[in-house]
Structures are given as structure tokens and as C-alpha cells.
Amino acid sequence: MQYHRQFHVTDPRSFEDEDPLLPSFQVLSLVEMDSKNKYKKLSRRSIYRRQLVSFLMLGTAKEQPHPFYGRSVDDATLDAKAVAYASRIFYSRPFLLYVIGVILDKTSFSVTVFNRAGMLSSERRALSANLDVFVRVIRRLSRDMSLVDLGHNPNMYLSPGHTYRQTAYPSFVVETGGVSSECQRFLTEGKPIFISMSLMGRGASVWNICYGEQPAMLVVAWRMESTPGNSDSGGLLSSFQPSQPGRGTCLVAGNFLWPDHDLPQDIESVRKCKLKNKTNLVLHYLVITPAGKMLWDANSDMELVSGFLAAIQGYIAMPNKDTIGLGILPDTIYLWNEHRNGTPVPPGMEGYIVGSGTESSSEPVAPLVTTQMQSTMECKITSLMRGLPFEAPFLPYNILRAALNSKIIVRTEHHDMESFLLVFFYALTRRALIQHPKNERVREIFHDVFLCTDLSKLRWERKALWVGAFAPVQCCLSEELAALACFLAGVMSAQNEVVDDELRPLLNFKGSKFSSPPESVPIKCELIEDIFIQVKDVLVSS
């Protein structure tokens, strides 16, 4: 069987569904065509990002490799742009298990396979001596390889009658797989409400679904194979209980299995080889209720602040916070979705936290993100982090510093609070960028702070964030949110001892009893709760 794909020079302006979050550069993209349009000449604004399946990157072999992904555990020397574009394709097609890219310079080429644990790259071959091989590679990608061959998960496929080229975002059938166990089937509705933008790590995506008659969300993410509570297949958690205030409920969870046997979909089976000196990752799913939406989709400042406050209070009420460590991420905090739930928001459920610690009447669901932890809660973050499913931009500052120095650090509650606030700053930045897509300074902050995976650079970007670099985003916010962001930056800079003496007098919050941020002491969750209560009162009275 032959398939119909075209190579097309693309940049963000090429796409009908342009996204201001994505990096801006040109690349030769391989675009999926349907049979009716297989010979149609592609023009600007005639492509949807979800049609991208592979790419050919033009560059030079001597370009500086990405400081985190380049020279990775697979010893692959890669152009940083190739890594960024592979991430873009994962973001555009979140059900991919891997992405194939061709790296071409003036005299040689190589083929690289990107997945959530790193990259595998072929040796570079001279074009002059291997032109026939290069032609076969291009033909295989554009005509001979199926979507599954190109990395699409066989458990997830388009609903009957839907195409990648249709105007409305297509619906997908998601099957949990397996032969002996009962295969569960979910039908997605519309666009995913969240997709992780990083290449390595969890690769999370969140979709609207209905579980029976109940509106719910499907979370698909990679997690460590050794995570306690992982099972080869999921089942309904018995005797469902309503959500507690500020906390979501997990209805069902498990690992995806291959459709033709009962083995889990993991990185080793995707690569067809054992991983060396790395933790194997397994593709996992959770079905969560109530239906939610992301923080940056709030209709008002009040909805955003009230929802975030409710999530913090839900976290405070959790009995077991040990399993939360390094797991507070943008896709673990949601706002109540009144439209999908069909009812006004109940008190205390304006927002809620999900993932680790999510309520169920059975045994607790294991955290979406964990690190190696001992009973003393000592968390050693070393180069092994590269094999773990985590999101570097949301790691607390002191953990970043410990990682760079290969030291042991004791994780405490204030690290979780810093991750909470990083998610809040992320939401403010995405909200500002959505409202002001042409604001290049906001775009730069988003890319430098929240898409960075070079730990050294990220540490300095984080320090800059806490001492005033967030100002361009604050200019896009209301007076109350701008003042709140300024105050929280002061809190974090005081905690991490990165505050400038000249900046401290400027860190005041309208209506707050705190005239200046606390001195360098660990930040308690009750302090952050109190700050957001005051913000809410200010918004009510304004």
C-alpha cells in the first residue's frame, strides 16, 4: 500500500491553526494528505499542524548541539532545532510514540528517532556515496511507511469519517489494548485541553471524554515502570465516591497494552531494545472527574484566583503529601468546567488538584511523576534525572541547584509550594500570550523559562524570573494580578536567597497585610493560601 504525503517548507505562519506558543523557524515538514487531495499543491495557511508526521532539517553538522538533549544518553549529536521541531510534532500529534527526522547538511545526512526517553541516531552518511540510500529514505517516509511505522500509537486512531485535514479538530478512539484483559475504549471530544510541550519526560495530553454518561477527562502520560501502584491493566475503582473539595476523583487507571498481546507499551518495546542506565517508561492512562479546564482558560481573574486557591486548599487537606514531590504540573491543576459538568460550581470545587493523591475509594493512585525517594524524603537528583519522567521547568530552584552540583536535597513542603507558584506563573504567561500573540517579549519569557531543558540555563532564567524578568508579562495583566505576581516573585526570591536589595522595596501587594516578602525562610502552604484569600477579597471588593 502506498501513502500520500508531501514535503513542504513550513513556519508557524504556514498553518491554519497557528499557535503562538511554538518556536518560529522554517523546516521541511512531511504533511499527511488524504486521497482526494493527494496531488493538491499546498499553499500558506492550508495545512493543519496535526497533519505533520515527519521532517527534514537542513543545517550543518558542526552546529552546537542542544546542551541537555544533545550528546544524550544515546550519544547522539543533534541540532537543537531538530529537537525543538520533534517536540513540535509531538505537540501537534500527541498520540505519537516516536518521531522520525532526517538531518541533512551540505555533504552528509543521518536519520534520528526521537522518543520520550531520548534519541537514537544513525551514523552520518556521505551524500556523494549514499545518494541511493537517501532517496530510499525519503521514499519510505513519504510513500511506503504507514502511520504506525511513522510512530503513531496503534491503540489510538481517527473516529470513522474523521480526517486530519478536516476543519474541526478530529475525534479519536483510544483503546487500552491487550488480548486477555477487557479492552476499554474512550472517544475523545474536540481538541486536547492540554499537551506537554517538552520532548523528554511525561509527554502528557489531556482530553475531554464521557465515561458512560458522565463528563470526564482522559489523561495519557508516560511514567516510570517501577512506580508503586502501576498495574499492567486498569480497572474501575470500586464504589465511586464524590470528589472532596479541591481534589479530583480518578475513576479508572492503568497501563496501555499492545493490541496484539498483553505486554505494556513502554520505551523498551518501542525501541525494541533494553535501556542502559535508564529507567524504563510506561504509557499510562487515568480517567478523572469532574470535567475541568486549564487555569489559563479562566473567563475572569476571579475564576482564576478562586480556582487556584481551591486547588491549594485541596493539597493542604491531602493526608499523604510525600507522593506529590515534583508532581505539581500544569496538567495536575484544573478549573471547574461549568459547561461540560452542566451544573454551577460547588463550594470548594472552583479548582482542584489531580494526579498523585487523587481521591478514590480503593488504594491510592500512584503519582504521575516521581523521583527516587527514601523514607527520609531525601531526594537525590543527579544525571539520572535524564531517564525520569519529569518536567524540568517546574522543578524548584534549590532542586535545580542540587541537581547541577550532584547533591542530596531534602524535599519539603515549600518545594511543592514553589512548583505550585511556577504553575501559576506558567498560566499567567500562557494567558498573556494567548491574549497578546504578537508580544515577542512575552513569547521569549515563555520559551526561556517554561520550555527550557538546559538545567544550567534554566537555573539562571528562574533566578531572573524571581527578581524582575516577569515584568513584560505583568504589563499584560490586570492591576490585581500584576501586583500578585510581583509579590509572589518576591516571596520566591526571598525563599531561594536570590532577591536584590534594590528590588525588595518595590515588592508590595495591594491590600495585603504583607508590606514586604518574608525573609529567607521556607514558605508554608498556609502563607500562600492566605495570600490568595486576600487577592480574592480584593477582587470581590473591586
Side-chain angles (χ1 to χ4, degrees):
M1 180 177 179
Q2 287 192 337
Y3 300 88
H4 308 287
R5 305 180 183 110
Q6 291 186 29
F7 276 102
H8 186 71
V9 178
T10 58
D11 59 38
R13 295 170 296 176
S14 304
F15 301 106
E16 179 72 24
D17 50 346
E18 180 181 357
D19 193 326
L21 303 178
L22 295 175
S24 178
F25 53 80
Q26 287 190 339
V27 69
L28 273 172
S29 300
L30 188 59
V31 180
E32 186 77 29
M33 307 293 290
D34 55 46
S35 57
K36 293 180 181 180
N37 298 280
K38 59 184 178 181
Y39 299 119
K40 181 180 179 181
K41 183 179 180 180
L42 296 175
S43 59
R44 190 174 293 276
R45 300 289 190 187
S46 66
I47 309 168
Y48 291 98
R49 289 183 294 104
R50 54 183 175 268
Q51 292 177 254
L52 304 182
V53 292
S54 184
F55 68 95
L56 190 152
M57 179 69 68
L58 302 175
T60 64
K62 295 182 180 180
E63 283 195 73
Q64 181 69 26
H66 193 282
F68 185 72
Y69 294 127
R71 299 195 182 98
S72 70
V73 287
D74 302 300
D75 295 323
T77 302
L78 300 169
D79 185 352
K81 290 183 180 179
V83 173
Y85 201 74
S87 302
R88 176 190 292 182
I89 295 181
F90 274 118
Y91 178 71
S92 303
R93 294 179 74 124
F95 288 143
L96 288 174
L97 296 172
Y98 57 85
V99 171
I100 300 175
V102 180
I103 316 298
L104 175 68
D105 61 37
K106 294 179 180 179
T107 61
S108 62
F109 71 96
S110 65
V111 178
T112 301
V113 179
F114 302 82
N115 58 48
R116 298 300 185 179
M119 294 79 66
L120 293 171
S121 185
S122 72
E123 63 179 357
R124 297 197 70 82
R125 296 199 177 196
L127 276 170
S128 57
N130 297 276
L131 187 58
D132 58 330
V133 177
F134 179 74
V135 171
R136 287 203 302 270
V137 167
I138 299 303
R139 178 180 173 83
R140 285 274 293 157
L141 290 172
S142 58
R143 300 296 300 272
D144 299 338
M145 297 177 73
S146 69
L147 284 180
V148 173
D149 294 332
L150 287 170
H152 198 88
N153 194 321
N155 289 24
M156 301 147 186
Y157 50 89
L158 287 168
S159 297
H162 288 242
T163 70
Y164 288 104
R165 281 185 52 82
Q166 68 187 46
T167 303
Y169 197 93
S171 174
F172 290 89
V173 177
V174 179
E175 297 180 344
T176 59
V179 177
S180 60
S181 60
E182 182 179 350
C183 175
Q184 298 201 60
R185 184 177 286 106
F186 310 109
L187 183 66
T188 68
E189 301 175 1
K191 294 181 179 180
I193 62 177
F194 176 81
I195 309 173
S196 172
M197 300 188 73
S198 62
L199 173 64
M200 295 176 68
R202 300 172 61 252
S205 60
V206 184
W207 305 78
N208 286 323
I209 63 168
C210 281
Y211 192 75
E213 299 297 322
Q214 185 175 10
M217 298 181 297
L218 173 68
V219 179
V220 179
W222 294 88
R223 64 195 303 176
M224 286 191 298
E225 182 180 50
S226 58
T227 300
N230 268 4
S231 59
D232 290 338
S233 61
L236 182 65
L237 300 176
S238 60
S239 58
F240 160 75
Q241 293 180 347
S243 300
Q244 299 297 313
R247 286 180 279 173
T249 298
C250 181
L251 301 180
V252 62
N255 293 335
F256 283 101
L257 308 178
W258 292 105
D260 53 350
H261 50 71
D262 289 332
L263 296 177
Q265 292 188 341
D266 58 13
I267 292 296
E268 290 186 346
S269 59
V270 169
R271 289 190 172 188
K272 297 180 173 59
C273 65
K274 288 288 185 180
L275 300 179
K276 296 180 179 179
N277 303 319
K278 289 190 301 180
T279 303
N280 192 22
L281 305 180
V282 181
L283 192 60
H284 197 76
Y285 67 90
L286 297 94
V287 175
I288 291 170
T289 191
K293 60 183 182 181
M294 308 313 296
L295 291 170
W296 49 91
D297 293 326
N299 295 319
S300 65
D301 292 353
M302 176 61 80
E303 184 179 18
L304 172 61
V305 170
S306 298
F308 197 78
L309 172 61
I312 291 175
Q313 292 171 333
Y315 165 85
I316 293 173
M318 282 183 177
N320 298 314
K321 296 187 178 63
D322 337 356
T323 58
I324 306 290
L326 311 183
I328 296 173
L329 299 164
D331 60 294
T332 59
I333 301 176
Y334 296 88
L335 301 176
W336 177 271
N337 190 326
E338 185 172 333
H339 173 72
R340 291 204 67 228
N341 290 313
T343 59
V345 56
M349 286 299 293
E350 295 86 354
Y352 50 94
I353 185 169
V354 301
S356 44
T358 299
E359 288 295 312
S360 73
S361 57
S362 184
E363 57 186 51
V365 178
L368 284 176
V369 179
T370 63
T371 58
Q372 292 177 327
M373 290 188 180
Q374 303 168 2
S375 58
T376 59
M377 298 311 299
E378 289 184 340
C379 177
K380 187 173 183 179
I381 314 275
T382 65
S383 58
L384 290 175
M385 291 174 66
R386 297 184 180 187
L388 303 181
F390 75 106
E391 304 288 342
F394 301 96
L395 289 175
Y397 180 81
N398 285 332
I399 289 181
L400 287 176
R401 188 164 57 183
L404 290 167
N405 297 324
S406 298
K407 291 183 177 180
I408 294 176
I409 185 171
V410 178
R411 184 190 65 82
T412 62
E413 178 185 283
H414 73 273
H415 290 127
D416 287 344
M417 282 299 99
E418 184 168 347
S419 292
F420 255 111
L421 296 185
L422 285 167
V423 169
F424 187 71
F425 276 73
Y426 174 88
L428 293 179
T429 308
R430 282 198 67 159
R431 197 173 184 207
L433 194 53
I434 292 170
Q435 295 172 355
H436 305 275
K438 305 300 182 183
N439 191 319
E440 290 301 321
R441 286 292 294 116
V442 175
R443 184 196 296 267
E444 288 175 10
I445 291 172
F446 184 80
H447 288 173
D448 291 345
V449 177
F450 297 112
L451 296 187
C452 179
T453 48
D454 171 3
L455 296 187
S456 296
K457 180 181 178 182
L458 183 59
R459 176 190 171 188
W460 290 108
E461 293 292 346
R462 184 74 58 74
K463 181 176 180 179
L465 179 70
W466 294 151
V467 296
F470 201 65
V473 177
Q474 292 173 230
C475 294
C476 301
L477 305 174
S478 66
E479 180 184 353
E480 289 79 11
L481 285 186
L484 172 61
C486 184
F487 184 85
L488 294 177
V491 169
M492 289 296 99
S493 55
Q495 171 174 288
N496 295 305
E497 300 179 321
V498 297
V499 71
D500 290 342
D501 292 336
E502 295 180 0
L503 180 66
R504 184 175 290 277
L506 303 177
L507 299 176
N508 293 305
F509 171 58
K510 177 183 177 181
S512 173
K513 66 182 181 182
F514 303 109
S515 58
S516 63
E519 297 302 322
S520 181
V521 294
I523 304 302
K524 298 293 185 181
C525 52
E526 288 79 11
L527 170 64
I528 304 302
E529 177 189 22
D530 186 54
I531 292 171
F532 276 84
I533 290 174
Q534 292 181 59
V535 179
K536 186 175 178 180
D537 292 341
V538 170
L539 290 172
V540 168
S541 60
S542 61

